[in-house]
Amino acid sequence: DQQVKQNSPSLSVQEGRISILNCDYTNSMFDYFLWYKKYPAEGPTFLISISSIKDKNEDGRFTVFLNKSAKHLSLHIVPSQPGDSAVYFCAASATYNTDKLIFGTGTRLQVFP
Amino acid sequence: DAGVIQSPRHEVTEMGQEVTLRCKPISGHNSLFWYRQTMMRGLELLIYFNNNVPIDDSGMPEDRFSAKMPNASFSTLKIQPSEPRDSAVYFCASSFELSRGEAYEQYFGPGTRLTVT
């Protein structure tokens, strides 16, 4: 039972364009969401997060949008760069247990020149 | 800081053998997590510790899996006996929890790629 779903296993985007990675969740108790980025042979690294009291959080080229009614969040990367090519994991946690993150299956982003 | 250290980076073993994965969390962090990554299920939380005490082991797949944290700077994940379906990448992560419900981001180690033949 996947509580956090990333339905697109892969995405290919041209350099300079926008990359949009999507994530859906089923547990209405989730109220803190994170995106992690993973390069091959390395562990995931934290990228950006958003709390349920917000609907948008921006950090440089990265913006996360949250739609609580739809139980959906997305990560926008603008402009996309070849160095952004990696696997992106969406994760969620509930206020009652912030330690416990539930991860999605990941989306492999490839940015080509 | 050296970050989260995991060893070995790669482990190949035969079915039925015991496997021990090791983790050294970031100094000062008080929460430690063991994850398993597979293509089908992504990153699954197996168990996590807070202040060396196991808090939630509901993700541990079977009794063949066990984890310990004897002190703040060391943890092990053991599989005995190992099976081919245990083949995956196992990650350790650590974080600092200010108080219950106020935890900072998790920092991951490089992972151990386990292959059971």
Side-chain angles (χ1 to χ4, degrees):
Chain A
D1 179 27
Q2 284 285 114
Q3 297 186 68
V4 177
K5 301 177 184 179
Q6 294 177 257
N7 293 317
S8 297
S10 63
L11 176 67
S12 188
V13 173
Q14 189 173 29
E15 181 178 7
R17 302 269 188 167
I18 183 171
S19 296
I20 300 176
L21 294 92
N22 294 302
C23 178
D24 297 294
Y25 61 97
T26 57
N27 189 338
S28 59
M29 297 300 291
F30 288 152
D31 63 358
Y32 185 60
F33 305 89
L34 309 89
W35 285 93
Y36 277 77
K37 177 179 179 180
K38 182 185 179 307
Y39 291 117
E42 295 182 11
T45 55
F46 170 75
L47 186 58
I48 192 170
S49 64
I50 188 167
S51 167
S52 60
I53 62 174
K54 294 184 176 182
D55 55 15
K56 176 183 174 181
N57 189 26
E58 195 171 351
D59 184 2
R61 296 185 297 112
F62 302 91
T63 303
V64 56
F65 295 91
L66 175 63
N67 183 334
K68 283 201 72 177
S69 61
K71 295 191 178 67
H72 177 83
L73 65 154
S74 60
L75 174 69
H76 292 211
I77 307 174
V78 182
S80 301
Q81 299 174 354
D84 297 328
S85 298
V87 177
Y88 290 78
F89 289 97
C90 169
S93 72
T95 308
Y96 63 86
N97 195 354
T98 314
D99 278 346
K100 189 169 183 176
L101 294 179
I102 308 299
F103 282 85
T105 52
T107 296
R108 181 177 300 277
L109 172 66
Q110 183 171 3
V111 180
F112 59 92
Chain B
D1 197 320
V4 176
I5 298 173
Q6 290 187 248
S7 64
R9 294 294 309 274
H10 301 273
E11 177 78 39
V12 180
T13 190
E14 292 184 348
M15 182 175 63
Q17 296 297 306
E18 177 180 298
V19 175
T20 299
L21 311 182
R22 297 173 176 80
C23 176
K24 177 178 168 55
I26 292 173
S27 177
H29 282 188
N30 57 3
S31 290
L32 183 140
F33 310 82
W34 282 101
Y35 289 90
R36 177 171 67 177
Q37 183 191 5
T38 60
M39 289 294 292
M40 290 299 294
R41 301 181 66 85
L43 274 167
E44 299 176 273
L45 177 65
L46 300 178
I47 184 172
Y48 81 91
F49 297 83
N50 182 253
N51 294 321
N52 311 338
V53 176
I55 303 299
D56 186 338
D57 65 355
S58 60
M60 296 286 261
E62 299 170 30
D63 291 345
R64 299 184 295 106
F65 286 69
S66 62
K68 294 182 179 179
M69 191 163 186
N71 57 61
S73 59
F74 184 66
S75 177
T76 59
L77 177 68
K78 185 177 293 187
I79 309 172
Q80 165 64 18
S82 58
E83 296 183 3
R85 59 189 167 130
D86 301 330
S87 298
V89 180
Y90 291 81
F91 290 100
C92 175
S94 70
S95 72
F96 178 71
E97 182 184 340
L98 189 63
S99 63
R100 191 110 306 275
E102 291 188 67
Y104 292 95
E105 66 188 76
Q106 296 181 20
Y107 291 81
F108 283 75
T112 295
R113 180 174 295 278
L114 173 64
T115 302
V116 183
T117 61

